[in-house]
Amino acid sequence: MNQTIDDAHEAGRRIAVMSFPWDHEDISELMAASFGAVARFLAQVGVPITGPAVGLYTKHADGRFRVSAGFVVDDAFESDGTVELMRLPAGRVISTVHIGPYERLTETYDALQGFAARHHLVLNQEAMWEEYLSGREVDPEQVHTRVTWPVTHANVPASVH
């Protein structure tokens, strides 16, 4: 797999999301339901969606991951207790676009980890996200998903003398 990996800065975009514990069995259904509910809520409160659908994965103190699924928005809003306003982690990130089925996303995560290792970057183990750039109606082999992983810092390799 030959992917272009970007090393960039994330501004900390706002996202409107619904959150739930990660459950591998029904994550697709939970995310689809969340996207629909968030879109309906935003339409009701008059907040336009200004970017792609996002799945933010955050690790909590108990070691379990939580998924926050929704959309990029520019405007703030009052939470209804279900849909909340969050921000993507700001700072240095590495990212790439995965082309293909969601079931093969692990290949892209492996590519990002390999890039980080080669460039002496330490990845944030507490958060990463995916931006869904094409809808479910697209042929699975043509689905585009941007995978982004924050960098906590760069390791400076020791000089060898």
Side-chain angles (χ1 to χ4, degrees):
M1 174 168 35
N2 190 9
Q3 292 176 296
T4 300
I5 296 180
D6 299 314
D7 186 340
H9 178 82
E10 166 62 45
R13 292 169 288 165
R14 288 181 174 139
I15 53 175
V17 297
M18 288 180 65
S19 299
F20 51 88
W22 178 325
D23 182 341
H24 292 285
E25 295 297 318
D26 57 0
I27 192 165
S28 294
E29 292 82 13
L30 287 170
M31 289 188 83
S34 295
F35 293 141
V38 170
R40 285 188 298 278
F41 171 81
L42 292 172
Q44 286 177 336
V45 298
V47 173
I49 294 170
T50 57
V54 175
L56 172 64
Y57 301 86
T58 53
K59 188 174 182 181
H60 290 265
D62 65 1
R64 295 185 60 201
F65 272 90
R66 189 154 184 80
V67 180
S68 299
F71 299 94
V72 174
V73 297
D74 290 339
D75 300 333
F77 59 86
E78 192 73 31
S79 173
D80 69 349
T82 303
V83 177
E84 62 183 316
L85 185 64
M86 296 178 73
R87 283 194 178 271
L88 293 173
R92 187 176 182 184
V93 298
I94 58 173
S95 66
T96 191
V97 175
H98 169 85
I99 301 173
Y102 299 126
E103 294 78 20
R104 291 200 324 249
L105 276 168
T106 54
E107 297 168 7
T108 297
Y109 280 96
D110 290 345
L112 288 170
Q113 289 175 319
F115 178 91
R118 287 188 306 280
H119 292 87
H120 310 288
L121 303 174
V122 177
L123 297 171
N124 179 335
Q125 297 302 311
E126 309 301 313
M128 68 277 300
W129 65 91
E130 298 167 358
E131 296 177 54
Y132 309 104
L133 307 176
S134 48
R136 290 187 160 273
E137 69 282 354
V138 174
D139 173 356
E141 292 298 323
Q142 296 305 313
V143 170
H144 286 62
T145 307
R146 176 170 291 281
V147 178
T148 303
W149 206 330
V151 174
T152 58
H153 66 279
N155 280 331
V156 179
S159 299
V160 179
H161 295 285

